[in-house]
Amino acid sequence: MDPQKNQQLAKRLILGDCKAYDILMNSYYQLLCVYAQSLCNDHNMAEDIVQNVFVNIWVKRKKINPDLSIKSYLYKSVYNEFINQYRKNKPVIYLEKKYFEAIDLVVDIEPEELESLIKLMNIEIENLPSKCKEIFSMNKKEGLTHTEISEYLNISTKTVEGHITRAFKILTEKLGTKMEAVLFLLFDFKKQKARSFLG
């Protein structure tokens, strides 16, 4: 939906136009459910989050700023509702805060684009030079420290650091500024969740 149509839709919503609300639902509901599910990994919770967002949009429609992107507003609202739901269930530990920060960096990207970034990341990791890929994977996927890797492979920590730095440089060139956020979403948070599950 282009910016001009978004602005017109916002103005109609502010005036209480039910048809404008239906258009908004039809345009974004499924996309937002996919996005919400990527945050919580729970289909029912994702739908609850999106439904709450749309209810709040209608209730607070007079506060909508027609000069701002409705799309960005919707994604931010889903993200904020997810945080609210999450905090009801458990306290936010440090690593999970870092996860939310990573999510926040990609919150304005549509789920399809985020999915393609993750696929590209996996492809580029596979394309790294063999030793570079091995060391990078041991560090990011398996969570081994530089010292543990150096002892395991019988190489210096400086060599380990050199390979990891090289991997980061290559991936940054391929994926740009979103690289670290995508890496975190792929490995660190999932790794920590697995550790928590295992005790």
Side-chain angles (χ1 to χ4, degrees):
M1 193 177 293
D2 64 58
Q4 190 174 358
K5 285 184 179 178
N6 263 330
Q7 192 176 44
Q8 290 171 352
L9 197 63
K11 288 178 179 176
R12 288 172 60 189
L13 272 172
I14 292 167
L15 295 171
D17 187 333
C18 294
K19 287 184 179 178
Y21 184 73
D22 290 341
I23 291 170
L24 195 70
M25 287 273 289
N26 292 335
S27 300
Y28 291 108
Y29 186 85
Q30 289 301 329
L31 283 172
L32 292 173
C33 282
V34 171
Y35 173 62
Q37 189 161 346
S38 76
L39 297 176
C40 64
N41 294 317
D42 183 317
H43 177 74
N44 291 330
M45 185 178 177
E47 288 215 332
D48 286 343
I49 287 170
V50 175
Q51 286 166 10
N52 287 345
V53 165
F54 276 105
V55 168
N56 286 332
I57 281 176
W58 182 253
V59 171
K60 299 175 182 177
R61 62 188 180 277
K62 291 182 180 178
K63 295 181 180 179
I64 293 173
N65 184 344
D67 295 324
L68 299 178
S69 165
I70 280 189
K71 176 183 163 186
S72 294
Y73 178 73
L74 285 169
Y75 275 86
K76 284 284 186 184
S77 297
V78 167
Y79 168 68
N80 290 335
E81 180 65 20
F82 162 67
I83 298 293
N84 291 337
Q85 292 283 338
Y86 188 92
R87 284 174 176 157
K88 286 177 186 175
N89 298 322
K90 60 187 288 190
V92 181
I93 63 172
Y94 170 75
L95 192 77
E96 287 163 340
K97 286 181 181 175
K98 295 294 290 180
Y99 171 70
F100 295 148
E101 288 169 12
I103 282 284
D104 206 24
L105 291 174
V106 294
V107 73
D108 290 330
I109 304 174
E110 290 196 8
E112 293 86 350
E113 188 180 352
L114 181 57
E115 187 179 341
S116 68
L117 277 172
I118 289 171
K119 284 180 182 176
L120 180 60
M121 171 70 76
N122 284 321
I123 290 168
E124 293 303 334
I125 289 172
E126 288 301 312
N127 288 338
L128 289 170
S130 59
K131 184 58 72 175
C132 189
K133 179 177 78 171
E134 179 186 14
I135 291 171
F136 183 79
S137 296
M138 289 173 76
N139 178 243
K140 297 305 292 180
K141 289 185 180 180
E142 297 171 34
L144 299 181
T145 65
H146 293 189
T147 303
E148 287 170 335
I149 295 168
S150 71
E151 290 173 356
Y152 182 79
L153 297 177
N154 197 26
I155 57 176
S156 70
T157 53
K158 282 195 173 181
T159 301
V160 172
E161 288 164 8
H163 280 295
I164 291 173
T165 300
R166 186 181 177 193
F168 266 95
K169 186 177 179 183
I170 292 168
L171 294 173
T172 303
E173 286 173 357
K174 298 289 185 179
L175 286 100
T177 56
K178 300 182 183 74
M179 185 273 294
E180 287 196 39
V182 176
L183 268 179
F184 192 91
L185 295 178
L186 266 177
F187 302 128
D188 292 279
F189 186 69
K190 290 177 181 177
K191 183 171 63 192
Q192 182 66 22
K193 282 181 80 175
R195 285 176 178 170
S196 299
F197 180 74
L198 293 170

